[in-house]
Amino acid sequence: MRLINSKSWQMTEFISYNEVEPYAILSHTWHKEEVTYEDWVTLSWSDIRKKKGFRKIEYCCHQAAKEGLDWVWVDTCCIDKKSSAELAESLNSMFRWYRDATACYAYLADVPKDWKKHLAGSRWFTRGWTLQELLAPPEVVFYSDDWQQIGKKSELSDVISEITGIQAMYLNGADIQLASVSQRMSWAARRQTSREEDIAYCLLGIFDINMTLIYGEGHKAFRRLQEEIMKAYPEDHTLFAWGTVVPEFSRLVKTEAQELGQEPLGNKAVDDDGELFGLLAKSPKDFAQSGQFICYRDAKHFFRRWDSPITAPSLIGRTIRLDLPAYASANRFAVSHLGPELRNISYLRQIYSAVLLCGRQNGPLFTFVVIPLLYCTGGYYTRTREVVVSDQISFPHVDHNALWKWRTPMVVEGQPRYQPRVGDIIFRRFVSFMGYTRPCSVNDVDVTIQDGFIKALSPTRGRLACLMFEYTNKVGLGLCISRVGESEDGIGYLHFGVMPVDLMRPTLHYQTMDDACNYLWKNWQEAPYKQEMQLPSHTWEIQETENIPAVCIKSERMYIDNKQKQPVDIVDIVISRTRPEWSGNFPAPYRYV
């Protein structure tokens, strides 16, 4: 650690931090013509004094000498920033250096001595690095542009709290480690740094984290910081409680008529740009509305049960694996949106709700944070920007025992934005009271029903995919999707084949559900119910009988960016029932899982 002698202006390097003598430290914002370490060791004294940045160093040294302090630390000239090793060591140590300083002076270069009208607008309150410089020292003395004392942190705590959103208790000496992760993140939500990586690095001391610095990694730095926080605070779910706070998930399908295609789907959701995320945020800005979230006081009873240990969050590749309390809401589908290439068409995704062990305390009522998770092909989950805070999930109505009973192993990962390709089939609705199982397909398509797509890997004619819907292990329905013929846009027409399956009735062709699926796959052109869909749109309905439930299939040909040579198909598949034959000695109805 290098320090400047406040009287002789000589710079001295202390190899061991234990040998460092009492010192004053300067907090400020960077401007043009700062005095760097290279300037200090190479320029003449007269040239150093000519630089605009020297004035605050001079102010700092005079103030320290007046208070009987022989040493001063100023980041502009006491760190050799050409040495990556020294820079990394300094940035990882900086919170401690500010905490241990005998005096800390905050120089507000844009605040005149008539400070009351100007303090809130100071640039000092908007920069990333000054956050730890405000919180780490036991006391901070603020000075105006001409070094007139404005006041002390302890005296101005209420004013500073209003400016920064930091609770006054943490400005008056309370240990910031008592604040939740999301509270600390919210303090940085409106702050900026010159380099993208620094918005992560400036928070290392706030979370008592050390990590390597890799300038050039960009936004990955903030992800690495969150990964380290997740390891250090495995029971603090506020790390995941970021986003737009709403009383109800705005993507929920509101009515059964919307779900079944009798009414159009709703408009775009609140703050919805179509992107889907993992559990970690992109930047501290995502925590702007999370400053009131705290950990559930009885969370330890969820995490530390001897009879069934809970899996702490762990990182595997880009996924996070953990146990969360989760449940299926009454509205089982959410509205997602395709990109502008397809006019932001809405389509349905299956949804679950995960309860985080954190929330808001309002008197005796503790309201939990719930994040809606969209179910994806492959068994993992993804999320949107919204977080739900509603009295419906709150303590004492819901306690740690109920949450423990809801625990579910989950894998959460961000999902890339869908990029449509020629020949794709997009399921606007895929709704059935029977469970969907056993897809088989050709190698030229990728079947991702839960994501809402059959993706065309190359132009394909003939059968594409075969799906089996099971009401019981003996009664069900087979559906084969194919392309046939030649259309003007070059990909042909969609063809659907439907075959009811009843293994309680003897047949020579198949004895099991697997056999039935294979039989339809091989004989799709001979399905008892079949239809070639006409362009530009077509609706095909199979009436409900004692042998088959009602099937409604709608298709609409659309074009990527309205280009005639880039067609895709938008499809609704709705399988429903009303007849008593389909409500008899069978399990209760359920939608696809």
Side-chain angles (χ1 to χ4, degrees):
M1 185 181 189
R2 296 189 183 88
L3 295 175
I4 302 170
N5 189 283
S6 62
K7 298 172 184 175
S8 69
W9 301 89
Q10 295 298 312
M11 184 176 289
T12 300
E13 183 171 2
F14 293 83
I15 302 300
S16 171
Y17 188 69
N18 294 328
E19 298 175 356
V20 172
E21 299 180 20
Y23 60 92
I25 198 164
L26 180 67
S27 174
H28 65 105
T29 56
W30 283 55
H31 295 276
K32 294 181 180 178
E33 294 190 35
E34 295 289 358
V35 178
T36 66
Y37 173 74
E38 185 178 10
D39 294 336
W40 198 273
V41 298
T42 60
L43 296 182
S44 66
W45 189 242
S46 60
D47 287 338
I48 291 175
R49 296 180 69 90
K50 290 177 184 177
K51 302 196 77 170
K52 293 180 180 180
F54 177 77
R55 188 174 68 154
K56 57 190 167 188
I57 299 175
E58 186 176 32
Y59 282 150
C60 182
C61 287
H62 287 164
Q63 186 67 37
K66 188 185 301 185
E67 296 178 9
L69 294 171
D70 293 334
W71 300 99
V72 166
W73 187 87
V74 183
D75 62 343
T76 56
C77 57
C78 291
I79 302 174
D80 182 4
K81 295 178 178 62
K82 287 190 173 182
S83 169
S84 59
E86 181 176 332
L87 179 62
E89 180 182 0
S90 299
L91 297 188
N92 273 288
S93 304
M94 200 168 293
F95 187 91
R96 180 176 62 166
W97 291 351
Y98 275 90
R99 182 195 63 201
D100 294 347
T102 303
C104 177
Y105 311 132
Y107 177 60
L108 310 185
D110 52 359
V111 175
K113 60 183 178 181
D114 182 17
W115 57 270
K116 291 186 178 180
K117 296 181 180 179
H118 305 277
L119 184 64
S122 175
R123 184 169 175 263
W124 190 88
F125 290 109
T126 69
R127 306 307 294 172
W129 287 106
T130 55
L131 176 60
Q132 67 174 2
E133 296 164 17
L134 170 65
L135 292 169
E139 186 64 278
V140 179
V141 184
F142 292 90
Y143 289 91
S144 65
D145 59 346
D146 60 351
W147 205 261
Q148 298 297 311
Q149 184 172 323
I150 293 172
K152 298 180 179 180
K153 178 173 69 170
S154 57
E155 300 168 343
L156 302 170
S157 59
D158 290 338
V159 176
I160 296 172
S161 176
E162 186 174 344
I163 296 171
T164 62
I166 302 171
Q167 293 89 331
M169 59 181 288
Y170 297 113
L171 299 171
N172 289 322
D175 186 358
I176 63 172
Q177 297 300 317
L178 299 176
S180 70
V181 169
S182 69
Q183 286 178 313
R184 283 178 268 178
M185 284 291 189
S186 73
W187 302 341
R190 294 177 178 84
R191 292 179 179 258
Q192 300 174 340
T193 56
S194 298
R195 302 190 68 166
E196 184 178 8
E197 298 86 354
D198 280 342
I199 199 61
Y201 302 157
C202 74
L203 298 176
L204 292 176
I206 301 292
F207 291 102
D208 195 20
I209 296 290
N210 293 100
M211 67 183 201
T212 56
L213 277 55
I214 310 173
Y215 282 104
E217 66 175 328
H219 66 274
K220 295 179 182 178
F222 187 66
R223 180 178 176 86
R224 283 203 300 125
L225 173 68
Q226 292 175 93
E227 291 170 359
E228 293 301 319
I229 292 172
M230 189 171 66
K231 297 174 187 175
Y233 305 89
E235 297 180 5
D236 190 334
H237 279 181
T238 66
L239 175 62
F240 313 131
W242 55 267
T244 304
V245 179
V246 294
E248 180 184 40
F249 188 42
S250 61
R251 292 185 181 215
L252 283 179
V253 173
K254 303 297 184 182
T255 66
E256 186 174 287
Q258 283 184 317
E259 184 179 306
L260 299 180
Q262 298 159 0
E263 292 179 0
L265 299 176
N267 295 324
K268 291 194 73 173
V270 175
D271 194 24
D272 180 17
D273 58 7
E275 191 169 359
L276 297 172
F277 305 89
L279 281 178
L280 301 182
K282 282 191 168 183
S283 82
K285 294 178 182 178
D286 294 325
F287 290 88
Q289 298 182 28
S290 305
Q292 295 182 344
F293 295 152
I294 61 174
C295 296
Y296 175 44
R297 65 181 183 183
D298 288 333
K300 59 182 179 293
H301 297 302
F302 176 85
F303 291 111
R304 307 178 191 179
R305 293 180 70 107
W306 65 268
D307 53 340
S308 182
I310 295 296
T311 302
S314 61
L315 186 72
I316 301 179
R318 304 294 293 180
T319 68
I320 292 177
R321 306 189 178 205
L322 74 171
D323 288 346
L324 285 177
Y327 61 93
S329 60
N331 303 88
R332 291 288 300 278
F333 290 96
V335 180
S336 289
H337 305 280
L338 302 176
E341 307 96 330
L342 292 172
R343 300 183 299 187
N344 292 313
I345 284 179
S346 302
Y347 70 107
L348 296 185
R349 295 285 297 270
Q350 191 180 6
I351 185 173
Y352 292 87
S353 296
V355 182
L356 300 182
L357 274 293
C358 64
R360 289 177 180 161
Q361 187 76 54
N362 184 14
L365 190 69
F366 185 90
T367 307
F368 291 97
V369 172
V370 177
I371 52 173
L373 297 177
L374 304 185
Y375 187 60
C376 303
T377 299
Y380 72 95
Y381 299 83
T382 190
R383 63 171 287 185
T384 70
R385 287 188 181 276
E386 291 185 350
V387 293
V388 177
V389 181
S390 169
D391 290 348
Q392 293 180 351
I393 306 295
S394 59
F395 177 86
H397 309 302
V398 175
D399 62 12
H400 63 85
N401 286 313
L403 295 175
W404 184 77
K405 291 175 182 177
W406 294 350
R407 71 196 188 284
T408 305
M410 288 190 158
V411 179
V412 185
E413 182 181 13
Q415 190 175 52
R417 191 186 300 275
Y418 169 64
Q419 299 293 328
R421 290 177 288 192
V422 173
D424 281 0
I425 298 172
I426 299 163
F427 292 106
R428 181 167 45 204
R429 292 175 178 86
F430 191 89
V431 181
S432 172
F433 71 95
M434 296 189 289
Y436 135 74
T437 58
R438 297 184 177 87
C440 54
S441 64
V442 295
N443 293 330
D444 295 324
V445 300
D446 182 15
V447 181
T448 57
I449 299 296
Q450 283 89 352
D451 300 340
F453 312 113
I454 294 181
K455 300 176 183 178
L457 306 180
S458 63
T460 303
R461 288 290 192 279
R463 61 188 184 179
L464 302 177
C466 186
L467 312 175
M468 184 62 65
F469 298 85
E470 293 186 13
Y471 195 23
T472 71
N473 60 358
K474 292 186 179 296
V475 178
L477 181 78
L479 172 67
C480 193
I481 305 173
S482 312
R483 285 199 185 278
V484 298
E486 292 291 340
S487 58
E488 291 184 4
D489 50 32
I491 67 168
Y493 302 89
L494 279 181
H495 179 282
F496 292 92
V498 174
M499 183 182 75
V501 177
D502 186 352
L503 299 182
M504 293 185 289
R505 298 180 180 180
T507 173
L508 297 176
H509 301 299
Y510 45 81
Q511 305 299 321
T512 67
M513 283 293 184
D514 284 334
D515 293 342
C517 185
N518 292 331
Y519 177 81
L520 178 59
W521 181 239
K522 294 176 182 177
N523 300 278
W524 60 276
Q525 293 173 308
E526 301 171 12
Y529 300 89
K530 52 182 177 290
Q531 179 66 51
E532 180 180 311
M533 309 300 279
Q534 301 304 304
L535 300 178
S537 62
H538 191 146
T539 298
W540 177 42
E541 292 184 298
I542 301 176
Q543 298 300 315
E544 184 179 12
T545 72
E546 62 179 2
N547 297 320
I548 188 170
V551 179
C552 180
I553 298 176
K554 298 179 182 179
S555 68
E556 180 181 357
R557 182 65 52 87
M558 296 192 68
Y559 300 92
I560 303 170
D561 294 325
N562 291 319
K563 295 179 180 178
Q564 193 70 17
K565 296 297 183 182
Q566 298 188 43
V568 296
D569 287 299
I570 312 297
V571 172
D572 291 357
I573 296 178
V574 178
I575 302 175
S576 58
R577 54 76 188 278
T578 59
R579 292 173 62 93
E581 292 92 336
W582 292 97
S583 302
N585 299 317
F586 297 113
Y590 59 93
R591 297 178 177 90
Y592 77 87
V593 176

